[in-house]
Amino acid sequence: AQKITQTQPGMFVQEKEAVTLDCTYDTSDQSYGLFWYKQPSSGEMIFLIYQGSYDEQNATEGRYSLNFQKARKSANLVISASQLGDSAMYFCAMREGRPKRGSYIPTFGRGTSLIVHP
Amino acid sequence: DGGITQSPKYLFRKEGQNVTLSCEQNLNHDAMYWYRQDPGQGLRLIYYSQIVNDFQKGDIAEGYSVSREKKESFPLTVTSAQKNPTAFYLCASSNQGALHNSPLHFGNGTRLTVT
């Protein structure tokens, strides 16, 4: 079963508008961390934002915020005031609190391709 | 500046040849990872290492081998046994001691093409 599900293969947004990228996760651990990464066409993976399962406030980093709904097991990324440079692949990832196979191995979703139109 | 360096950026090989992808980090991270990325598949874990001289198979280890002789280095060898080696390979590291709140730091990737 997928631990991280990103249901939107592709998204389009107009420049300066906000966009939400969906992510749902599956874990039986009480303690875990959720991450979002950006991958531009050049290929490098850029860490954007982190949310801990015990954090009461939604995480924010500049124009990025994470809409964390623990009961629904969702961790959607919200990008406000989209810019042309936001066009990229976006990956949601989870790191569970209990080691699996001796390590806290991150699990990634399949990604969402975001295109920002001028 | 600290970071992870992968080399080369592009690599071309003939079928049947082994090839080694380099990954070096100066972040003093304990854990290092190799991922393979194919279009529409996300990232799949090949191998990971938590400490020097120790490494574990990931989800798709067949046809690959690694070594971890130094903390800074985690090279990946794609052997001739790997049936479909053409892909984008990403190396990552993390401060394992920070447990589940520690993000991965990635290199810029190596795009391997085997013909």
Side-chain angles (χ1 to χ4, degrees), chain A residues 8 12 26-27 36 50 61 64 69 73 79 83 89 114 116-118:
Chain A
Q8 307 153 313
F12 296 88
D26 181 28
T27 181
W36 276 93
Y50 161 80
E61 288 287 348
Y64 303 109
Q69 298 186 44
K73 293 189 175 177
I79 305 174
Q83 301 172 355
M89 284 290 291
L114 176 66
V116 181
H117 287 302

Short mmCIF file of all heavy atoms in Angstrom, two decimals, chain A residues 8 12 26-27 36 50 61 64 69 73 79 83 89 114 116-118:
data_model
loop_
_atom_site.label_atom_id
_atom_site.label_comp_id
_atom_site.label_asym_id
_atom_site.label_seq_id
_atom_site.Cartn_x
_atom_site.Cartn_y
_atom_site.Cartn_z
N GLN A 8 -2.62 14.35 -7.61
CA GLN A 8 -2.62 15.29 -8.74
C GLN A 8 -1.31 15.13 -9.54
O GLN A 8 -0.29 15.62 -9.13
CB GLN A 8 -2.69 16.74 -8.22
CG GLN A 8 -3.82 17.01 -7.26
CD GLN A 8 -3.48 18.16 -6.32
OE1 GLN A 8 -2.39 18.18 -5.76
NE2 GLN A 8 -4.39 19.09 -6.14
N PHE A 12 -2.05 23.39 -12.79
CA PHE A 12 -1.74 24.65 -13.45
C PHE A 12 -2.25 25.78 -12.58
O PHE A 12 -3.30 25.66 -11.94
CB PHE A 12 -2.44 24.72 -14.82
CG PHE A 12 -1.96 23.69 -15.79
CD1 PHE A 12 -2.55 22.44 -15.83
CD2 PHE A 12 -0.93 23.97 -16.66
CE1 PHE A 12 -2.11 21.48 -16.73
CE2 PHE A 12 -0.48 23.02 -17.56
CZ PHE A 12 -1.08 21.76 -17.60
N ASP A 26 -0.15 7.52 5.16
CA ASP A 26 -0.66 6.38 5.91
C ASP A 26 0.43 5.92 6.87
O ASP A 26 1.52 5.54 6.44
CB ASP A 26 -1.05 5.25 4.96
CG ASP A 26 -1.61 4.05 5.69
OD1 ASP A 26 -2.18 4.24 6.79
OD2 ASP A 26 -1.47 2.92 5.18
N THR A 27 0.14 5.97 8.15
CA THR A 27 1.06 5.45 9.15
C THR A 27 0.30 5.11 10.41
O THR A 27 -0.73 5.72 10.70
CB THR A 27 2.16 6.48 9.48
OG1 THR A 27 3.06 5.93 10.44
CG2 THR A 27 1.59 7.78 10.03
N TRP A 36 8.04 18.47 2.38
CA TRP A 36 7.81 18.77 0.97
C TRP A 36 9.13 19.20 0.34
O TRP A 36 9.91 19.95 0.92
CB TRP A 36 6.79 19.90 0.81
CG TRP A 36 5.37 19.43 0.87
CD1 TRP A 36 4.57 19.37 1.98
CD2 TRP A 36 4.58 18.98 -0.22
NE1 TRP A 36 3.33 18.89 1.63
CE2 TRP A 36 3.30 18.65 0.29
CE3 TRP A 36 4.81 18.81 -1.60
CZ2 TRP A 36 2.27 18.16 -0.52
CZ3 TRP A 36 3.79 18.34 -2.40
CH2 TRP A 36 2.53 18.03 -1.85
N TYR A 50 8.77 21.52 6.65
CA TYR A 50 8.63 20.34 7.52
C TYR A 50 7.48 20.56 8.50
O TYR A 50 7.26 21.65 9.01
CB TYR A 50 9.93 20.12 8.30
CG TYR A 50 9.77 19.24 9.51
CD1 TYR A 50 9.73 17.86 9.37
CD2 TYR A 50 9.64 19.79 10.79
CE1 TYR A 50 9.57 17.05 10.48
CE2 TYR A 50 9.49 18.98 11.89
CZ TYR A 50 9.45 17.61 11.74
OH TYR A 50 9.29 16.81 12.83
N GLU A 61 6.85 28.69 5.77
CA GLU A 61 8.19 29.12 5.36
C GLU A 61 8.02 30.06 4.18
O GLU A 61 7.87 29.64 3.06
CB GLU A 61 9.05 27.92 4.93
CG GLU A 61 9.51 27.01 6.02
CD GLU A 61 10.61 27.61 6.88
OE1 GLU A 61 11.18 28.66 6.49
OE2 GLU A 61 10.88 27.04 7.95
N TYR A 64 5.43 29.43 1.42
CA TYR A 64 4.98 28.04 1.56
C TYR A 64 4.32 27.85 2.93
O TYR A 64 4.85 28.30 3.94
CB TYR A 64 6.14 27.06 1.44
CG TYR A 64 6.93 27.18 0.17
CD1 TYR A 64 8.22 27.70 0.17
CD2 TYR A 64 6.39 26.77 -1.05
CE1 TYR A 64 8.95 27.81 -1.00
CE2 TYR A 64 7.11 26.89 -2.22
CZ TYR A 64 8.39 27.41 -2.19
OH TYR A 64 9.12 27.53 -3.34
N GLN A 69 -3.80 18.35 8.48
CA GLN A 69 -5.03 17.86 9.09
C GLN A 69 -4.78 16.43 9.54
O GLN A 69 -4.92 15.48 8.77
CB GLN A 69 -6.19 17.95 8.10
CG GLN A 69 -6.46 19.39 7.68
CD GLN A 69 -7.70 19.52 6.82
OE1 GLN A 69 -8.74 18.92 7.12
NE2 GLN A 69 -7.61 20.30 5.76
N LYS A 73 -5.21 12.69 7.98
CA LYS A 73 -3.91 12.26 7.47
C LYS A 73 -3.60 12.94 6.15
O LYS A 73 -3.26 12.30 5.15
CB LYS A 73 -3.84 10.74 7.35
CG LYS A 73 -3.88 10.03 8.70
CD LYS A 73 -3.59 8.55 8.59
CE LYS A 73 -3.52 7.93 9.98
NZ LYS A 73 -3.31 6.48 9.93
N ILE A 79 1.05 27.13 -1.81
CA ILE A 79 2.01 28.12 -2.30
C ILE A 79 1.22 29.39 -2.59
O ILE A 79 0.29 29.38 -3.41
CB ILE A 79 2.73 27.66 -3.58
CG1 ILE A 79 3.41 26.30 -3.36
CG2 ILE A 79 3.77 28.70 -4.02
CD1 ILE A 79 4.02 25.71 -4.63
N GLN A 83 4.85 32.21 -8.48
CA GLN A 83 5.80 32.86 -9.38
C GLN A 83 6.19 31.88 -10.49
O GLN A 83 6.07 30.66 -10.32
CB GLN A 83 7.06 33.27 -8.60
CG GLN A 83 6.78 34.22 -7.46
CD GLN A 83 8.01 34.46 -6.59
OE1 GLN A 83 9.06 33.85 -6.80
NE2 GLN A 83 7.87 35.35 -5.62
N MET A 89 8.45 20.00 -10.20
CA MET A 89 7.81 18.85 -9.57
C MET A 89 7.87 19.06 -8.06
O MET A 89 8.87 19.55 -7.53
CB MET A 89 8.55 17.56 -9.92
CG MET A 89 8.31 17.05 -11.31
SD MET A 89 6.64 16.42 -11.53
CE MET A 89 6.67 14.94 -10.52
N LEU A 114 3.82 21.08 -11.23
CA LEU A 114 3.15 22.38 -11.18
C LEU A 114 3.66 23.26 -12.31
O LEU A 114 4.88 23.42 -12.48
CB LEU A 114 3.39 23.07 -9.84
CG LEU A 114 2.82 24.48 -9.70
CD1 LEU A 114 1.29 24.44 -9.73
CD2 LEU A 114 3.32 25.17 -8.44
N VAL A 116 3.24 27.16 -13.69
CA VAL A 116 2.73 28.50 -13.41
C VAL A 116 2.69 29.27 -14.72
O VAL A 116 3.71 29.44 -15.38
CB VAL A 116 3.62 29.22 -12.39
CG1 VAL A 116 3.06 30.62 -12.10
CG2 VAL A 116 3.73 28.41 -11.10
N HIS A 117 1.47 29.74 -15.06
CA HIS A 117 1.29 30.51 -16.30
C HIS A 117 1.45 31.99 -16.04
O HIS A 117 0.99 32.49 -15.01
CB HIS A 117 -0.13 30.27 -16.85
CG HIS A 117 -0.32 28.93 -17.45
ND1 HIS A 117 0.45 28.47 -18.50
CD2 HIS A 117 -1.20 27.93 -17.16
CE1 HIS A 117 0.04 27.27 -18.84
NE2 HIS A 117 -0.95 26.90 -18.04
N PRO A 118 2.07 32.73 -16.99
CA PRO A 118 2.16 34.19 -16.81
C PRO A 118 0.80 34.85 -17.02
O PRO A 118 -0.11 34.25 -17.58
CB PRO A 118 3.15 34.63 -17.90
CG PRO A 118 3.16 33.53 -18.89
CD PRO A 118 2.79 32.26 -18.17
#
